[in-house]
């Protein structure tokens, strides 16, 4: 079982300090969410709440994920980063490939691209992208980006995007994993073709059911690569409960550890205390090694 620190709605100025603490304590990754803008009025309901209302306040921060990841990678040495989730279909895929590939190189290949097709029609319209074709464009953009991240010359001819013979440098040293978020059957099948799935808030039993569905779909797709099932768990608190989730197919848990000890809306000092205590109470009993041997990162 691996643990990732969720950065959703956190003050941006706290993130470098939290990243360095997570790096030292043995957390696996930081999960970075994505929106370009947060519109005041929406007709599109938010799909992950019962009433369709957004979970965040209007002053919640939405930093650019790849600028943030590049910054945090510079002050850490082993911590990984992934988006939870990024929406390539509201952007030009060539620019997305450049941003993600550059972050991969600068971080020493410590990034993964978590994607979703997007839910907010108004955000698509604001950025001049077709909401109706977002699923097909996402699939094609992922194929294009994997081609652009490979060394050497690239050509691509698709329904939506075409590339004459070109090269995009710098080239990542290793293949960038692609995770997929979403709860529809289409999203699950898309995830089963790639490297992992990014979920939402579930009980252990709900997450296990999703993991079983994904395992079946991966077998149907002939996907034998390593696969990550990443989610937040609402009813796991002890090492034994997290270990059971791992036995049922959950590989990674997204968490804000200070919530177990102090609540969610707390200051940086309490967040750091929660990170330390959760590492002692959960990570270490599960055999996750602390990063005590990680060298200090010089100030920049």
């Amino acid at each position: 079982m691996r643990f990732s620190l969720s950065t959703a709605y956190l003050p941006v100025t706290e993130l470098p300090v939290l990243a360095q603490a997570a790096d030292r304590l043995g957390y696996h990754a930081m999960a970075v969410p994505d929106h370009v803008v947060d519109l005041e009025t929406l007709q599109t309901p938010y799909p992950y709440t019962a009433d369709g209302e957004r979970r965040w306040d209007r002053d919640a921060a939405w930093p650019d994920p790849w600028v943030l990841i590049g910054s945090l990678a510079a002050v850490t040495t082993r911590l990984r980063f992934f988006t939870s989730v990024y929406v390539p279909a509201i952007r030009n895929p060539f620019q997305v490939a450049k941003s993600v590939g550059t972050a991969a190189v600068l971080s020493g290949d410590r990034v993964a691209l978590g994607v979703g097709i997007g839910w907010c029609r108004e955000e698509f319209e604001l950025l001049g992208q077709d909401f109706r074709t977002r699923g097909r464009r996402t699939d094609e953009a992922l194929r294009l980006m994997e081609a652009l991240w490979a060394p050497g010359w690239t050509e691509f001819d698709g329904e939506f995007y075409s590339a004459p013979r070109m090269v995009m440098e710098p080239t990542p040293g290793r293949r960038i994993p692609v995770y997929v978020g979403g709860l529809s059957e289409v999203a699950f099948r898309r995830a089963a073709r790639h490297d992992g799935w990014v979920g939402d808030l579930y009980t252990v039993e709900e997450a296990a059911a999703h993991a079983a569905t994904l395992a079946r779909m991966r077998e149907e797709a002939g996907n034998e690569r390593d696969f990550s099932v990443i989610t937040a768990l609402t009813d796991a608190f002890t090492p034994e409960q997290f270990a059971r989730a791992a036995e049922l197919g959950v590989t990674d848990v997204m968490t804000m550890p200070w919530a177990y000890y102090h609540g969610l809306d707390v200051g940086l000092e309490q967040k750091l205390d929660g990170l330390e205590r959760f590492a002692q109470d959960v990570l270490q009993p599960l055999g996750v090694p602390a990063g005590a041997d990680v060298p200090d990162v010089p100030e920049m």
Side-chain angles (χ1 to χ4, degrees), residues 1-3 204 231-248 250 253-255 260 278 281-283 286:
M1 176 66 75
R2 300 176 300 201
F3 292 86
V204 170
T231 192
L233 296 173
T234 59
D235 61 349
F237 311 101
T238 67
E240 295 76 18
Q241 290 168 328
F242 287 113
R244 180 170 180 271
E247 291 172 357
L248 294 173
V250 177
V253 170
M254 294 183 290
T255 184
Y260 296 106
F278 190 81
D281 295 343
V282 176
L283 270 64
L286 288 174

Short mmCIF file of all heavy atoms in Angstrom, two decimals, residues 1-3 204 231-248 250 253-255 260 278 281-283 286:
data_model
loop_
_atom_site.label_atom_id
_atom_site.label_comp_id
_atom_site.label_asym_id
_atom_site.label_seq_id
_atom_site.Cartn_x
_atom_site.Cartn_y
_atom_site.Cartn_z
N MET A 1 0.84 -1.19 0.00
CA MET A 1 0.00 0.00 0.00
C MET A 1 0.88 1.25 0.00
O MET A 1 1.84 1.35 0.78
CB MET A 1 -0.92 0.01 1.22
CG MET A 1 -1.76 1.25 1.38
SD MET A 1 -2.99 1.46 0.08
CE MET A 1 -4.20 0.22 0.55
N ARG A 2 0.55 2.20 -0.88
CA ARG A 2 1.28 3.46 -0.95
C ARG A 2 0.32 4.59 -0.61
O ARG A 2 -0.88 4.49 -0.87
CB ARG A 2 1.87 3.65 -2.34
CG ARG A 2 2.84 2.54 -2.73
CD ARG A 2 3.35 2.68 -4.14
NE ARG A 2 2.28 2.64 -5.13
CZ ARG A 2 2.47 2.35 -6.41
NH1 ARG A 2 3.68 2.09 -6.87
NH2 ARG A 2 1.45 2.34 -7.26
N PHE A 3 0.85 5.68 -0.07
CA PHE A 3 0.03 6.80 0.37
C PHE A 3 0.47 8.08 -0.33
O PHE A 3 1.66 8.41 -0.37
CB PHE A 3 0.12 6.96 1.89
CG PHE A 3 -0.51 5.82 2.63
CD1 PHE A 3 0.23 4.67 2.91
CD2 PHE A 3 -1.84 5.87 3.02
CE1 PHE A 3 -0.35 3.61 3.58
CE2 PHE A 3 -2.43 4.80 3.68
CZ PHE A 3 -1.68 3.66 3.97
N VAL A 204 -14.06 0.99 1.74
CA VAL A 204 -13.17 -0.09 1.30
C VAL A 204 -13.91 -1.05 0.38
O VAL A 204 -13.39 -1.48 -0.66
CB VAL A 204 -12.57 -0.83 2.51
CG1 VAL A 204 -11.85 -2.09 2.07
CG2 VAL A 204 -11.63 0.09 3.28
N THR A 231 -7.30 5.79 -4.79
CA THR A 231 -8.55 6.38 -4.33
C THR A 231 -8.39 6.87 -2.90
O THR A 231 -7.38 6.60 -2.24
CB THR A 231 -9.70 5.36 -4.43
OG1 THR A 231 -10.95 6.00 -4.23
CG2 THR A 231 -9.54 4.24 -3.42
N ALA A 232 -9.38 7.61 -2.43
CA ALA A 232 -9.45 7.97 -1.01
C ALA A 232 -10.46 7.03 -0.34
O ALA A 232 -11.46 6.66 -0.95
CB ALA A 232 -9.90 9.42 -0.86
N LEU A 233 -10.17 6.65 0.89
CA LEU A 233 -11.01 5.70 1.61
C LEU A 233 -11.67 6.40 2.80
O LEU A 233 -10.99 7.05 3.59
CB LEU A 233 -10.19 4.51 2.10
CG LEU A 233 -9.56 3.64 1.00
CD1 LEU A 233 -8.63 2.60 1.60
CD2 LEU A 233 -10.65 2.98 0.15
N THR A 234 -12.98 6.23 2.91
CA THR A 234 -13.74 6.94 3.95
C THR A 234 -13.86 6.15 5.24
O THR A 234 -14.25 6.72 6.27
CB THR A 234 -15.15 7.26 3.44
OG1 THR A 234 -15.82 6.04 3.10
CG2 THR A 234 -15.10 8.17 2.22
N ASP A 235 -13.54 4.84 5.21
CA ASP A 235 -13.73 4.03 6.42
C ASP A 235 -12.49 3.22 6.77
O ASP A 235 -12.60 2.18 7.42
CB ASP A 235 -14.95 3.12 6.27
CG ASP A 235 -14.80 2.13 5.10
OD1 ASP A 235 -13.87 2.30 4.29
OD2 ASP A 235 -15.63 1.20 5.01
N ALA A 236 -11.33 3.68 6.35
CA ALA A 236 -10.08 3.04 6.75
C ALA A 236 -9.28 4.03 7.58
O ALA A 236 -9.04 5.16 7.16
CB ALA A 236 -9.28 2.61 5.51
N PHE A 237 -8.87 3.59 8.77
CA PHE A 237 -8.16 4.46 9.70
C PHE A 237 -6.93 3.78 10.30
O PHE A 237 -6.00 4.46 10.70
CB PHE A 237 -9.09 4.90 10.85
CG PHE A 237 -10.42 5.42 10.38
CD1 PHE A 237 -11.55 4.62 10.43
CD2 PHE A 237 -10.54 6.70 9.85
CE1 PHE A 237 -12.78 5.09 10.00
CE2 PHE A 237 -11.75 7.18 9.41
CZ PHE A 237 -12.88 6.37 9.47
N THR A 238 -6.94 2.46 10.38
CA THR A 238 -5.87 1.72 11.05
C THR A 238 -5.02 0.99 10.02
O THR A 238 -5.45 0.76 8.88
CB THR A 238 -6.46 0.69 12.03
OG1 THR A 238 -7.15 -0.33 11.27
CG2 THR A 238 -7.42 1.34 13.00
N PRO A 239 -3.82 0.59 10.40
CA PRO A 239 -2.99 -0.19 9.46
C PRO A 239 -3.71 -1.44 8.96
O PRO A 239 -3.59 -1.81 7.79
CB PRO A 239 -1.76 -0.55 10.30
CG PRO A 239 -1.67 0.53 11.33
CD PRO A 239 -3.08 0.89 11.65
N GLU A 240 -4.46 -2.10 9.84
CA GLU A 240 -5.17 -3.32 9.44
C GLU A 240 -6.22 -3.04 8.39
O GLU A 240 -6.41 -3.83 7.44
CB GLU A 240 -5.80 -3.98 10.68
CG GLU A 240 -4.82 -4.50 11.71
CD GLU A 240 -4.19 -3.39 12.55
OE1 GLU A 240 -4.76 -2.27 12.59
OE2 GLU A 240 -3.13 -3.65 13.17
N GLN A 241 -6.93 -1.92 8.52
CA GLN A 241 -7.96 -1.57 7.53
C GLN A 241 -7.35 -1.22 6.18
O GLN A 241 -7.86 -1.60 5.13
CB GLN A 241 -8.81 -0.43 8.07
CG GLN A 241 -9.69 -0.83 9.24
CD GLN A 241 -10.31 0.35 9.96
OE1 GLN A 241 -9.71 1.44 10.02
NE2 GLN A 241 -11.51 0.16 10.52
N PHE A 242 -6.23 -0.49 6.21
CA PHE A 242 -5.55 -0.18 4.94
C PHE A 242 -4.96 -1.46 4.32
O PHE A 242 -5.00 -1.62 3.09
CB PHE A 242 -4.45 0.85 5.17
CG PHE A 242 -4.98 2.24 5.42
CD1 PHE A 242 -4.81 2.85 6.66
CD2 PHE A 242 -5.65 2.94 4.43
CE1 PHE A 242 -5.29 4.13 6.90
CE2 PHE A 242 -6.14 4.23 4.66
CZ PHE A 242 -5.96 4.82 5.90
N ALA A 243 -4.44 -2.36 5.14
CA ALA A 243 -3.90 -3.61 4.62
C ALA A 243 -4.99 -4.44 3.97
O ALA A 243 -4.76 -5.08 2.92
CB ALA A 243 -3.23 -4.40 5.75
N ARG A 244 -6.18 -4.44 4.54
CA ARG A 244 -7.29 -5.18 3.93
C ARG A 244 -7.65 -4.57 2.57
O ARG A 244 -7.92 -5.30 1.60
CB ARG A 244 -8.51 -5.16 4.84
CG ARG A 244 -9.70 -5.91 4.26
CD ARG A 244 -10.82 -6.09 5.27
NE ARG A 244 -11.92 -6.82 4.66
CZ ARG A 244 -12.93 -6.25 4.00
NH1 ARG A 244 -12.94 -4.92 3.87
NH2 ARG A 244 -13.88 -6.97 3.46
N ALA A 245 -7.64 -3.23 2.49
CA ALA A 245 -7.92 -2.58 1.20
C ALA A 245 -6.88 -3.00 0.16
O ALA A 245 -7.22 -3.25 -1.01
CB ALA A 245 -7.93 -1.07 1.37
N ALA A 246 -5.63 -3.12 0.59
CA ALA A 246 -4.59 -3.56 -0.34
C ALA A 246 -4.84 -4.98 -0.81
O ALA A 246 -4.66 -5.30 -2.00
CB ALA A 246 -3.21 -3.45 0.33
N GLU A 247 -5.26 -5.85 0.09
CA GLU A 247 -5.56 -7.23 -0.29
C GLU A 247 -6.70 -7.29 -1.30
O GLU A 247 -6.76 -8.21 -2.13
CB GLU A 247 -5.94 -8.03 0.96
CG GLU A 247 -4.78 -8.26 1.92
CD GLU A 247 -5.23 -8.89 3.22
OE1 GLU A 247 -6.46 -9.08 3.38
OE2 GLU A 247 -4.37 -9.19 4.08
N LEU A 248 -7.60 -6.31 -1.25
CA LEU A 248 -8.76 -6.28 -2.15
C LEU A 248 -8.49 -5.52 -3.44
O LEU A 248 -9.41 -5.31 -4.24
CB LEU A 248 -9.95 -5.67 -1.42
CG LEU A 248 -10.48 -6.50 -0.23
CD1 LEU A 248 -11.55 -5.72 0.53
CD2 LEU A 248 -11.04 -7.84 -0.70
N VAL A 250 -6.72 -2.31 -3.84
CA VAL A 250 -6.37 -0.89 -3.80
C VAL A 250 -4.86 -0.78 -3.62
O VAL A 250 -4.30 -1.33 -2.66
CB VAL A 250 -7.10 -0.16 -2.65
CG1 VAL A 250 -6.67 1.30 -2.59
CG2 VAL A 250 -8.61 -0.27 -2.84
N VAL A 253 -3.58 5.09 -1.69
CA VAL A 253 -4.59 5.86 -1.00
C VAL A 253 -4.20 7.33 -1.02
O VAL A 253 -3.08 7.69 -0.65
CB VAL A 253 -4.77 5.39 0.46
CG1 VAL A 253 -5.66 6.36 1.24
CG2 VAL A 253 -5.37 3.99 0.49
N MET A 254 -5.13 8.18 -1.47
CA MET A 254 -4.96 9.63 -1.36
C MET A 254 -5.52 10.08 -0.02
O MET A 254 -6.62 9.65 0.37
CB MET A 254 -5.69 10.35 -2.50
CG MET A 254 -5.12 10.09 -3.86
SD MET A 254 -5.98 11.03 -5.17
CE MET A 254 -7.59 10.20 -5.19
N THR A 255 -4.79 10.94 0.67
CA THR A 255 -5.22 11.32 2.01
C THR A 255 -4.73 12.71 2.38
O THR A 255 -3.77 13.22 1.81
CB THR A 255 -4.71 10.28 3.04
OG1 THR A 255 -5.20 10.61 4.34
CG2 THR A 255 -3.19 10.24 3.07
N TYR A 260 -7.26 13.18 10.36
CA TYR A 260 -7.48 12.15 11.38
C TYR A 260 -7.23 12.68 12.78
O TYR A 260 -7.78 12.16 13.76
CB TYR A 260 -6.54 10.96 11.13
CG TYR A 260 -6.79 10.23 9.84
CD1 TYR A 260 -5.90 10.37 8.77
CD2 TYR A 260 -7.88 9.40 9.69
CE1 TYR A 260 -6.11 9.69 7.58
CE2 TYR A 260 -8.10 8.72 8.50
CZ TYR A 260 -7.22 8.86 7.45
OH TYR A 260 -7.43 8.18 6.28
N PHE A 278 0.67 10.32 11.30
CA PHE A 278 0.15 9.29 10.41
C PHE A 278 1.27 8.38 9.91
O PHE A 278 1.09 7.16 9.77
CB PHE A 278 -0.57 9.94 9.23
CG PHE A 278 -1.35 8.99 8.37
CD1 PHE A 278 -2.62 8.56 8.75
CD2 PHE A 278 -0.84 8.54 7.17
CE1 PHE A 278 -3.34 7.68 7.95
CE2 PHE A 278 -1.56 7.67 6.35
CZ PHE A 278 -2.81 7.24 6.75
N ASP A 281 1.88 6.12 12.87
CA ASP A 281 0.75 5.25 13.24
C ASP A 281 0.35 4.28 12.14
O ASP A 281 -0.18 3.20 12.43
CB ASP A 281 -0.47 6.11 13.60
CG ASP A 281 -0.26 6.95 14.85
OD1 ASP A 281 0.68 6.66 15.61
OD2 ASP A 281 -1.04 7.92 15.04
N VAL A 282 0.58 4.65 10.86
CA VAL A 282 0.09 3.84 9.75
C VAL A 282 1.20 3.41 8.80
O VAL A 282 1.37 2.22 8.52
CB VAL A 282 -1.02 4.59 8.97
CG1 VAL A 282 -1.47 3.78 7.75
CG2 VAL A 282 -2.21 4.88 9.88
N LEU A 283 1.97 4.36 8.29
CA LEU A 283 2.98 4.00 7.29
C LEU A 283 4.00 3.03 7.85
O LEU A 283 4.29 1.99 7.24
CB LEU A 283 3.68 5.26 6.76
CG LEU A 283 3.05 5.93 5.54
CD1 LEU A 283 1.66 6.47 5.85
CD2 LEU A 283 3.95 7.07 5.04
N LEU A 286 2.89 -0.53 8.45
CA LEU A 286 2.68 -1.23 7.20
C LEU A 286 3.99 -1.51 6.46
O LEU A 286 3.98 -2.06 5.36
CB LEU A 286 1.75 -0.41 6.29
CG LEU A 286 0.28 -0.37 6.70
CD1 LEU A 286 -0.50 0.59 5.80
CD2 LEU A 286 -0.33 -1.77 6.64
#
